[in-house]
Amino acid sequence: VLYSDSFGRTPDEKESPVLTLRFFETDYFTHRVMGRVTEKLRKQGFLPPSNLIPNQLNNTFRCFRTSLGISIIIIIPDTNEIILTRRSVDSAYSNGKEWIYVSVTETISETDYDCFMGNLNITRWIKRALFEEIGLKERHYDESSIKVYDMFFENNFYQDGITASVKLKKGVNMSIVKELKSKDKQMEVKEIFAIDNTTTSINDYISNYSNEMREQTIYTLQSYATRLD
């Protein structure tokens, strides 16, 4: 991410939020190298230990913004639940621990960039993530229910993220989701489970299991839960 601005608004009466993003090209190897550089610089005290402000991210620290991920919460309307996952120790960034994540997490790739429009196609990105991570195809979920909420920068790995949600179609339940095959499911996901889709249930779950969650998982759940009130 070369530049980001999440404070824009449309000029009409609705004043809907607008996210502006500008990108630079990189690759996974460079991203991993910068991750190691970040780790070393932080240990030596050369990087801020606390939150970076947007002006810092868009200038001095933008060379570290080599990844943009999306954290998606899948909603099961039939049972009023949301899906969570427990990642395998073989998944990326596990550090030997089985972390609890939201339903789907996926980083942006060139396939999610719309060359004709000259910008990121978030819907295409979400569809790819749902299929590659869980095995969900378009027949399983309601595309019109896709919602994008916030952009954030997490301070553990120095990575940008976006939060979103999508609803499954009527009749698509946990049993069906667990049976789906996907490219990353067997290798990266140890367990798929659900919790009640209520503010109280989500906040209680965070309180009880926060030590098993990454920073972005907690933020995504909190961001989503505030919108249920």
Side-chain angles (χ1 to χ4, degrees):
V1 178
L2 183 68
Y3 172 87
S4 65
D5 178 11
S6 58
F7 299 104
R9 293 290 184 271
T10 57
D12 55 25
E13 292 182 356
K14 292 184 179 180
E15 294 187 336
S16 301
V18 174
L19 172 61
T20 301
L21 292 170
R22 293 206 298 268
F23 301 102
F24 61 88
E25 290 188 12
T26 186
D27 54 30
Y28 187 69
F29 175 76
T30 304
H31 165 64
R32 295 294 288 178
V33 169
M34 289 305 296
R36 294 294 298 273
V37 171
T38 301
E39 183 180 354
K40 288 185 177 181
L41 290 177
R42 294 187 69 179
K43 287 181 178 179
Q44 295 170 8
F46 290 110
L47 290 178
S50 58
N51 294 340
L52 294 170
I53 62 175
N55 186 53
Q56 290 175 305
L57 292 172
N58 288 330
N59 291 281
T60 307
F61 293 92
R62 62 185 176 188
C63 62
F64 296 99
R65 305 176 77 179
T66 56
S67 175
L68 175 63
I70 192 162
S71 297
I72 307 168
I73 291 177
I74 299 173
I75 304 162
I76 311 175
D78 283 4
T79 54
N80 194 32
E81 295 176 310
I82 62 172
I83 294 175
L84 299 180
T85 60
R86 186 178 290 277
R87 294 281 168 156
S88 164
V89 292
D90 297 321
S91 60
Y93 305 108
S94 70
N95 298 124
K97 187 173 180 177
E98 296 174 347
W99 296 95
I100 296 172
Y101 276 64
V102 293
S103 315
V104 169
T105 58
E106 182 66 29
T107 54
I108 189 177
S109 75
E110 290 181 343
T111 60
D112 308 315
Y113 191 79
D114 190 326
C115 295
F116 180 75
M117 298 298 295
N119 57 28
L120 169 65
N121 188 323
I122 292 185
T123 300
R124 181 190 298 171
W125 184 13
I126 290 174
K127 287 182 176 181
R128 179 179 65 83
L130 293 173
F131 177 67
E132 292 185 359
E133 291 287 308
I134 300 292
L136 290 170
K137 298 181 180 179
E138 291 183 29
R139 68 173 183 269
H140 295 120
Y141 55 86
D142 179 7
E143 182 179 337
S144 66
S145 72
I146 293 175
K147 294 182 179 179
V148 179
Y149 300 118
D150 301 304
M151 183 174 181
F152 65 90
F153 187 82
E154 65 89 23
N155 295 286
N156 187 39
F157 297 109
Y158 266 42
Q159 293 180 10
D160 287 278
I162 293 175
T163 65
S165 71
V166 63
K167 293 182 180 180
L168 298 181
K169 288 183 176 178
K170 184 176 177 60
V172 182
N173 53 38
M174 274 295 293
S175 297
I176 292 175
V177 173
K178 286 183 176 181
E179 291 299 319
L180 295 174
K181 306 297 182 183
S182 72
K183 185 181 74 173
D184 299 330
K185 197 175 191 179
Q186 183 176 357
M187 186 169 50
E188 297 185 359
V189 179
K190 179 178 181 180
E191 180 186 5
I192 299 177
F193 59 99
I195 64 172
D196 290 340
N197 183 34
T198 65
T199 302
T200 300
S201 176
I202 294 171
N203 287 336
D204 285 348
Y205 194 85
I206 293 172
S207 178
N208 292 330
Y209 295 96
S210 60
N211 63 328
E212 298 180 47
M213 299 180 188
R214 292 294 195 187
E215 181 179 301
Q216 64 265 35
T217 302
I218 295 173
Y219 179 83
T220 303
L221 288 173
Q222 290 175 334
S223 170
Y224 172 76
T226 58
R227 291 168 167 87
L228 294 177
D229 293 332

